[in-house]
């Protein structure tokens, strides 16, 4: 019987993996080929034919080597998360920020809305455009096979970042200026204006891409 | 383009086949390929070259986990079992494929072919 480990190793010299992972892969593939060979022998085939049957399992060793190198690459999980979450999220954030800058540059004025004696600047042209970027974030995440949580996070990324920043600023503001109910309400209004409403606009755009309607392909 | 679509469909169906099998019990590569071939009457066939890149990819995604242990003949084999994350993939994948075949059937009458 052939030394299957040697057979596989000779054909996969360019396998780019750490030594222990490479040994594991070689051992596993060798065991698989050995079983195919033995199975063929068990069916009464000659050594030569059984060997050929086993060797036919791999049409092109270089293609298999490259595919396994890719699949076993340790960077994979990070790459997948980057593709499904961080890149779509950053794209949404960039798009939303550019849109805000653009609307201001183009001279669209925010509407001043009075709520209980407090003024709130309502950036309606920006809010109106946000669904496009929410859709983009969710679409990019779905295209990268992101699960629904990743799609949601990607589409809401600008609102989430703003929420984190505001929550970090609040204690500082209260510590420096002292606690007052007025400041707290003002913060709440700011939260609605910069987190809740943009979040809602982004989410509305993302809805079509949050459904599991696509055929999953890797 | 057609080849790319075919390859994606094969890959997607392979994921479902592997997850479904491993939902029953842990298996090693050769057994996975053999059982898929047998249970589908040869319609789905995994060669070594098509099986392992997919298995490793699924392992990287955290859907399956491989562990060396002795088989019934006392030989060390890498057994794959479903992780909780893999188990969660199963229902949506089945739903997607059901919807896919229904859509294809309504278009091309596949079930009458």
């Amino acid at each position: 019987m052939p030394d299957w480990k040697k057979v596989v190793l000779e054909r996969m010299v360019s396998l780019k993996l750490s030594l222990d992972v490479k040994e594991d892969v070689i051992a596993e593939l060798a065991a698989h080929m050995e079983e195919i060979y033995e199975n063929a022998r068990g069916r009464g085939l000659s050594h030569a034919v059984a060997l050929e049957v086993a060797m036919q399992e791999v049409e092109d060793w270089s293609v298999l080597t490259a595919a396994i190198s890719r699949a076993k690459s340790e960077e994979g999980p990070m790459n997948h998360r980057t593709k499904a979450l961080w890149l779509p999220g950053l794209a949404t954030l960039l798009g939303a920020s550019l849109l805000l800058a653009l609307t201001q540059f183009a001279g669209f004025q925010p509407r001043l809305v009075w709520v209980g004696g407090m003024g709130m600047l309502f950036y309606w042209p920006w809010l109106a455009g946000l669904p496009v970027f929410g859709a983009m974030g969710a679409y990019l995440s779905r295209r990268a096979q992101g699960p629904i949580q990743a799609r949601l996070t990607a589409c809401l990324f600008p609102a989430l970042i703003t929420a984190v920043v505001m929550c970090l600023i609040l204690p500082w503001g209260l510590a420096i200026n002292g606690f007052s109910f007025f400041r707290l309400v003002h913060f709440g209004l700011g939260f609605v204006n910069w987190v809740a409403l943009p979040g809602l606009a982004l989410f509305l755009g993302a809805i079509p891409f949050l459904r599991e309607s696509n055929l999953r392909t890797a | 383009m057609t080849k790319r679509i075919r390859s994606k469909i094969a890959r997607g169906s392979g994921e479902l086949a592997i997850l479904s099998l491993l939902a029953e019990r842990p298996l090693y590569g050769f057994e996975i390929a053999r059982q898929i071939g047998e249970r589908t009457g040869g319609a789905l066939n995994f060669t070594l070259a098509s099986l392992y890149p997919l298995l490793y990819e699924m392992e990287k995604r955290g859907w399956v986990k491989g562990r060396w242990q002795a088989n019934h003949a006392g030989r060390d084999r890498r057994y794959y079992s479903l992780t909780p994350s893999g188990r969660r993939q199963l229902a949506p994948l089945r739903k997607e494929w059901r919807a896919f075949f229904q859509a294809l059937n309504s278009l091309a009458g596949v079930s009458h072919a």
Side-chain angles (χ1 to χ4, degrees), chain B residues 80-95:
Chain B
Y80 290 88
S81 54
L82 219 54
T83 63
S85 168
R87 206 168 285 279
R88 280 197 297 275
Q89 299 295 326
L90 203 48
L93 265 178
R94 280 182 173 143
K95 198 174 154 192

Side-chain angles (χ1 to χ4, degrees), chain B residues 5 10-11 17 46-48 54 86 91 94 109:
Chain B
I5 292 168
R11 197 180 179 87
F46 272 102
T47 60
L48 179 151
L54 187 55
R94 280 182 173 143

Side-chain angles (χ1 to χ4, degrees), chain B residues 17-27 35 39 82 87 90 94:
Chain B
I18 292 170
L19 289 176
S20 303
L21 266 185
L22 296 182
E24 296 172 12
R25 66 190 169 99
L27 292 168
Q35 290 211 18
R39 292 209 203 174
L82 219 54
R87 206 168 285 279
L90 203 48
R94 280 182 173 143

Side-chain angles (χ1 to χ4, degrees), chain A residues 153-192:
Chain A
T153 310
C155 82
L156 296 176
F157 206 67
L160 294 174
I161 292 287
T162 315
V164 169
V165 171
M166 287 184 79
C167 289
L168 287 175
I169 287 173
L170 177 67
W172 282 98
L174 293 179
I176 292 167
N177 301 316
F179 178 82
S180 82
F181 182 69
F182 174 79
R183 284 200 187 96
L184 216 54
V185 173
H186 204 254
F187 174 83
L189 285 176
F191 199 85
V192 168

Side-chain angles (χ1 to χ4, degrees), chain A residues 28 32 35 38 57 218, chain B residues 48 52 56 61 75 77 80:
Chain A
E28 188 171 19
H32 190 112
E35 292 222 24
E38 286 182 351
E57 285 288 298
Chain B
L48 179 151
Y52 286 94
Y56 295 154
R61 285 188 209 152
R75 288 173 175 176
R77 294 292 182 256
Y80 290 88

